[in-house]
Amino acid sequence: AEFVLPRCSTVHDVKMRLRDKEGIPIRKQQLVNGCDILPETVCLAELCSTDFLEVRLVRKEAINFHWQATSMNADRISSPEWCLDSSEAVSSRRCALSLHYYPAGFESKMHKAGHFSIMVQRPKNSILRARVHIAGVMRERLFTSAHGCFEGWINFASREVLPNCETQQLCLEVLHCSIIPSPICEGSHVSWDLRDALGRMPYAMGVPFVEEARVQSHESSAVHLRLTFFPGGHTAAPKNHVSLWVFPLQGLEDRSYVCSVDGSRSQRASGEAVLHFPRIEVFGEITLSICPLSISISKEKAADEE
């Protein structure tokens, strides 16, 4: 959709126009510029020095889980476990989630006196974008760590915002949840499709997704690789690029390999390499093939002669 707004308009004004023009509720809109989610209060003039600004709309279908937290004298109160089936719009695989509420705060050096904490339990190797609501306060976060399945807000808000009662009303609003799939290895070829799992969401530069791949070379020897994909780009990547870091763990030796991401032009490399590819709207389809040792050596010789 294209429309004209004064430069003094905010991102919220854009969302209201989209609601009126496209019928998309404001709460289901997420406007993205590059890899940045635009806050509703930002003025358009701050985002662009010209008269034209292009942003990407991500339609968000949320699923809400409501919970009444009681027994306020306890150090920790845990919600029931909620399950998202693969049929849900926000999830590509079954995910189990739960909340943990700490009225007096989570035990941590980062905890501030007078604040309560809320932590989210999620599956290992999962991606979760979620909001938590309590007492009129909302926090949103993208959880991507492959190792930390228990994360959240150590200082969610001051206890002063809570109503003076023994039961608190909480809501977990799930915008996206998925499990990172493992690469599929066949012969000397690796296919790693992250498109559904990544969900077309913006990711900060340097956010990694790591998996290992074991393939067979053309000479029937085992090759063990570690693949790290950066949907927001490696710190050395050009603007609007994704990155793939290939790290040989065993058996690659002098062989080279050919990589492609999202159908872009293939790139050949050997040894450890960080490769960059243009980011498209639906990103995350990765392929890698090990080259025969004879081809790898001939390519290396040709490069030396040049």
Side-chain angles (χ1 to χ4, degrees):
E2 292 188 9
F3 43 81
V4 178
L5 286 174
R7 289 178 57 82
C8 61
S9 302
T10 64
V11 171
H12 182 72
D13 296 327
V14 177
K15 290 185 176 182
M16 288 195 297
R17 181 65 68 87
L18 281 170
R19 178 197 60 192
D20 298 338
K21 191 177 182 70
E22 304 289 336
I24 307 170
I26 291 177
R27 65 181 180 84
K28 293 187 177 181
Q29 296 181 36
Q30 185 167 268
L31 297 183
V32 179
N33 184 16
C35 287
D36 299 321
I37 299 174
L38 301 180
E40 293 195 349
T41 56
V42 170
C43 180
L44 300 184
E46 300 176 31
L47 301 173
C48 186
S49 58
T50 65
D51 292 333
F52 180 78
L53 174 65
E54 183 176 351
V55 297
R56 181 161 56 92
L57 170 65
V58 178
R59 292 174 173 82
K60 300 183 295 183
E61 295 292 336
I63 295 177
N64 296 325
F65 297 102
H66 297 276
W67 171 45
Q68 291 186 345
T70 56
S71 303
M72 302 305 295
N73 293 328
D75 294 333
R76 162 175 157 170
I77 311 163
S78 299
S79 75
E81 187 177 82
W82 299 302
C83 289
L84 289 168
D85 293 327
S86 59
S87 59
E88 303 283 8
V90 297
S91 177
S92 61
R93 291 178 60 183
R94 183 179 177 87
C95 298
L97 307 170
S98 59
L99 290 179
H100 302 273
Y101 173 50
Y102 297 79
F106 185 76
E107 187 175 345
S108 168
K109 293 181 180 179
M110 299 176 62
H111 178 249
K112 298 178 182 178
H115 286 65
F116 62 91
S117 309
I118 296 179
M119 310 299 282
V120 179
Q121 186 85 38
R122 60 188 176 89
K124 184 180 179 180
N125 292 332
S126 64
I127 299 175
L128 172 67
R129 179 175 286 281
R131 296 169 177 166
V132 173
H133 304 258
I134 179 173
V137 180
M138 184 273 288
R139 297 281 185 264
E140 180 176 338
R141 182 171 169 178
L142 175 63
F143 301 90
T144 60
S145 172
H147 304 290
C149 304
F150 188 83
E151 302 172 282
W153 300 266
I154 294 175
N155 301 292
F156 190 93
S158 170
R159 288 199 295 270
E160 295 178 355
V161 305
L162 299 174
N164 188 19
C165 59
E166 292 188 357
T167 301
Q168 301 296 337
Q169 307 287 337
L170 291 91
C171 175
L172 174 64
E173 183 181 1
V174 181
L175 305 174
H176 180 81
C177 183
S178 186
I179 306 295
I180 293 294
S182 299
I184 298 174
C185 303
E186 297 181 353
S188 60
H189 183 75
V190 180
S191 176
W192 192 19
D193 194 346
L194 297 172
R195 289 174 293 180
D196 287 343
L198 296 177
R200 300 169 56 186
M201 294 185 297
Y203 293 85
M205 177 178 287
V207 173
F209 295 93
V210 186
E211 287 286 345
E212 294 185 5
R214 298 176 184 270
V215 295
Q216 292 287 325
S217 70
H218 291 267
E219 295 77 26
S220 299
S221 60
V223 178
H224 187 189
L225 305 172
R226 183 171 66 228
L227 305 178
T228 304
F229 183 62
F230 301 88
H234 186 270
T235 52
K239 186 177 180 181
N240 296 324
H241 279 62
V242 301
S243 302
L244 179 66
W245 176 18
V246 181
F247 187 88
L249 296 174
Q250 185 179 3
L252 184 64
E253 300 176 348
D254 293 328
R255 298 176 182 86
S256 60
Y257 50 87
V258 176
C259 299
S260 179
V261 176
D262 301 317
S264 59
R265 183 178 179 181
S266 297
Q267 298 186 37
R268 181 186 298 271
S270 59
E272 179 184 359
V274 179
L275 308 173
H276 311 297
F277 302 86
R279 183 190 298 110
I280 64 174
E281 184 174 357
V282 183
F283 50 83
E285 185 182 18
I286 302 158
T287 60
L288 180 148
S289 295
I290 305 295
C291 298
L293 187 58
S294 58
I295 294 180
S296 301
I297 293 175
S298 63
K299 291 283 185 181
E300 187 175 328
K301 287 183 177 179
D304 292 339
E305 292 173 358
E306 291 177 2

